Amino acid sequence: MTSTPNLGSERTLILAPMGRDAQVASAILAEAHIATAVCGDLHALMPELAAGAGAALIVEEVLHEQDYRGLARWIEAQPPWSDFPVIVLAPRGGGLERNPAAGRFIQALGNVTFLERPFHPTTLVSIVQTALRGRRRQYEARVRLEALRAAVARQRQDQAHLRLLINELNHRVKNTLATVQSIVTQTLRSADVSTRTRDVLTSRIVALSKAHDVLTNEQWSGADLGEIAAQAAQPFRLGLGEERIVMSGPRVRVLPKTAIAFALAVHELATNAVKYGALSGNEGRVDFSWRISGRGDGRELTAVWREIDGPRVTSPTRAGFGTRLIERGLAADLNGEVTIRYPADGVVCTIRARLEGAELEVSSGTPTNPRRRRTEAEPNVPSPPAFGGR
């Protein structure tokens, strides 16, 4: 009796304790080069099943006379890839209508084939070979399933390792930004540089850091445009009030480089509005909105920064750093165009970008700010103007 399981065994177990059925069946199958093992009873069959087999050939009388619940439990506990074939040698005329027990055997043993006695040798060989071919396919399915499970396990390990590396990288980058901010502050403090210049540079580093935090939370797979814009505008909203900067638009997930570009743009626009634009007084406000048009690879993102009820605006005589950052840097990162206009009633910055489907994911959901006050014109997204020649 085999003690070590043969996981690819194709031998046929024969359980026919009465008469010469076992010897006859074993001899017929041996001539067809099919390995067999003869068992004396169901109790002896069970360890042979555990050791490995391709099929079982059982006379029906055994199932009537012996307790086959152990066999039924073994079949019930098979792994997902397995459907062990059982061939029952039945008396002549033992169909379901004349042999109600046959239905119970099918239900309990699953993959059952009935072969009436006396049987023709060719019929027996054909039925056993068919059962073994099915068993062979099950072994192949097991190999594929195990390979798939191993691949999934490796992928999970790789993902866990990647998350560890990303977290470490995020930590180091955050520390680097803090170090850069400290170096800049200390360097400019000892140099003949105005406090205003030092604050502007520091605030830009902080805006970059906040965008980095949002992307870190998303494992750098992208970020929601509304969340990125809200983080960039948060310092200004805290000081001026939530209603001074109103944001609205659908939920749009953008790539990391786009998220960072938008964060810097909103920061520059808000900074300029506080110093020279609508947020410099008590009544002014800003409306920042975005929308998506088109379908598939032809979708276009249009975002508009519009300043309302602020002081009268005049066009700047030269482009500052903020304007160049928006009109050139943001346009390049978005593969689109950015325009800043200076109508007398308030600065308007419009950003348009045609993005491929892989670069932009639009999901349904509640707009970022449903209380947004609409304007009659379509959204025009401003990049930070040349305000103050920064």
Side-chain angles (χ1 to χ4, degrees), residues 205-221:
I205 297 175
V206 171
L208 182 61
S209 179
K210 286 184 176 294
H212 180 275
D213 288 342
V214 174
L215 290 167
T216 296
N217 293 335
E218 297 291 335
Q219 299 295 319
W220 281 84
S221 61

Side-chain angles (χ1 to χ4, degrees), residues 224 248-253 290 361-370 374:
D224 182 76
S248 62
R251 297 184 183 278
V252 183
R253 189 172 180 83
W290 59 91
E361 176 187 331
V362 182
S363 58
S364 60
T366 305
T368 299
N369 189 342
R374 300 281 180 181

Side-chain angles (χ1 to χ4, degrees), residues 200-246:
V200 167
L201 183 54
T202 300
S203 64
R204 285 169 177 160
I205 297 175
V206 171
L208 182 61
S209 179
K210 286 184 176 294
H212 180 275
D213 288 342
V214 174
L215 290 167
T216 296
N217 293 335
E218 297 291 335
Q219 299 295 319
W220 281 84
S221 61
D224 182 76
L225 177 59
E227 184 178 1
I228 284 291
Q231 284 289 338
Q234 183 184 21
F236 305 95
R237 284 173 139 180
L238 289 176
L240 300 172
E242 292 288 329
E243 297 301 323
R244 299 293 297 278
I245 303 179
V246 178

Side-chain angles (χ1 to χ4, degrees), residues 44-64:
L45 178 71
M46 299 309 299
E48 294 295 335
L49 284 173
L57 182 67
I58 305 174
V59 296
E60 185 178 336
E61 289 83 355
V62 171
L63 299 177
H64 284 295

Side-chain angles (χ1 to χ4, degrees), residues 23 161 192 226 256 295 373 383:
Q23 289 76 13
H161 182 61
D192 187 15
R295 294 182 178 180
R373 295 163 65 181
S383 319

Side-chain angles (χ1 to χ4, degrees), residues 67 99 148 213 233 244 261 360 376:
D67 186 355
N99 183 8
L148 179 61
D213 288 342
R244 299 293 297 278
L360 185 64
E376 63 281 1

